[in-house]
Amino acid sequence: MNYFEIVNKCLVELSYKQVNSFAELIKNDHKKIKNIINIINTEVCGYDNWNFKLRKATLNLPANTSEIENTIDGKIASIVIDGHVYKYFERPEDFIMSKAPSQTYSRFNEMLLLPEFDEEKQINVIYYTSNAVRQPDGTEKAFFENEDDISLIPEVFAEPILVYGTCMRLKSNPQHVKFSYWLSMYNSALANMRSKISIDANYAPSVKLYRY
């Protein structure tokens, strides 16, 4: 379900008139709905380390160099060099003084700090992307902009989370006749995603819910 379809679903749920094209979304409530969809999508994607956000990248560490630019757009889960997993070490000053523990890495501003090797090394990075939206060509970005943009949240969960969450946030009045229903459906979709999205039965991301 793309951005335009989500907006129209919200309009139906709110008993508003649907539109025939993305260009017709010019009213104040249309703009509010579009903005809230973006906010909720970004919030849910950022709640925790969902496995649908896992990505892999490769960096090159030149010989006799211990610093490279951090071009990873997200949170690093692990770094692998020569088949060994390197753990994060929170004291970058120890790298500067060459006192860091073996098989560790750190970060200082926009630089990744790594051990120095006599030859160039390939750095394999597993990370959780900071993006929340995918374009039709597969390019990822932070926010919905175009009508055919799609959430990174799996579609089976994206529709109820974004539609009911947006309606609930737009009205933001617990006394509204449908508020409890929207809240219940939103919470249920989040709970279902939490229980079903994890591959490992011993691991499931936590979800923090906020009422506005």
Side-chain angles (χ1 to χ4, degrees), residues 149-199:
D149 288 341
I150 299 172
S151 173
L152 292 187
I153 300 170
E155 185 169 357
V156 65
F157 306 114
E159 179 181 345
I161 287 173
L162 297 180
V163 172
Y164 295 122
T166 296
C167 294
M168 178 180 65
R169 189 77 60 91
L170 179 69
K171 293 305 179 179
S172 64
N173 179 8
Q175 303 306 314
H176 188 281
V177 65
K178 296 188 73 175
F179 185 88
S180 294
Y181 170 72
W182 292 332
L183 177 61
S184 174
M185 296 299 290
Y186 173 75
N187 286 344
S188 177
L190 278 172
N192 284 336
M193 184 166 74
R194 181 188 179 192
S195 66
K196 296 177 181 179
I197 203 107
S198 178
I199 296 174

Side-chain angles (χ1 to χ4, degrees), residues 4-31:
F4 177 55
E5 292 169 333
I6 292 171
V7 174
N8 256 338
K9 283 276 188 178
C10 290
L11 294 176
V12 170
E13 188 62 32
L14 291 162
S15 298
Y16 292 172
K17 183 179 179 181
Q18 286 186 281
V19 297
N20 296 315
S21 71
F22 196 69
E24 295 179 45
L25 297 171
I26 56 176
K27 296 181 179 180
N28 284 338
D29 275 352
H30 293 161
K31 295 176 181 178

Side-chain angles (χ1 to χ4, degrees), residues 58-66 68 81-82 114-124:
T58 301
L59 306 176
N60 289 318
L61 177 66
N64 304 310
T65 302
S66 60
I68 55 173
I81 306 174
D82 291 339
L114 296 149
E116 188 173 312
F117 298 95
D118 295 332
E119 57 185 19
E120 182 176 312
K121 293 290 183 180
Q122 185 179 76
I123 313 300
N124 295 304

Side-chain angles (χ1 to χ4, degrees), residues 38-93:
N38 256 315
I39 290 172
I40 292 176
N41 189 62
T42 301
E43 285 180 350
V44 172
C45 284
Y47 277 154
D48 221 305
N49 297 331
W50 305 106
N51 60 22
F52 60 78
K53 292 171 47 182
L54 276 173
R55 302 291 181 270
K56 180 181 178 181
T58 301
L59 306 176
N60 289 318
L61 177 66
N64 304 310
T65 302
S66 60
E67 297 182 11
I68 55 173
E69 183 181 358
N70 181 17
T71 57
I72 302 301
D73 188 13
K75 296 186 294 183
I76 294 175
S78 63
I79 283 180
V80 180
I81 306 174
D82 291 339
H84 299 287
V85 177
Y86 282 62
K87 296 182 178 180
Y88 179 74
F89 186 67
E90 62 182 7
R91 291 173 54 86
E93 61 269 26

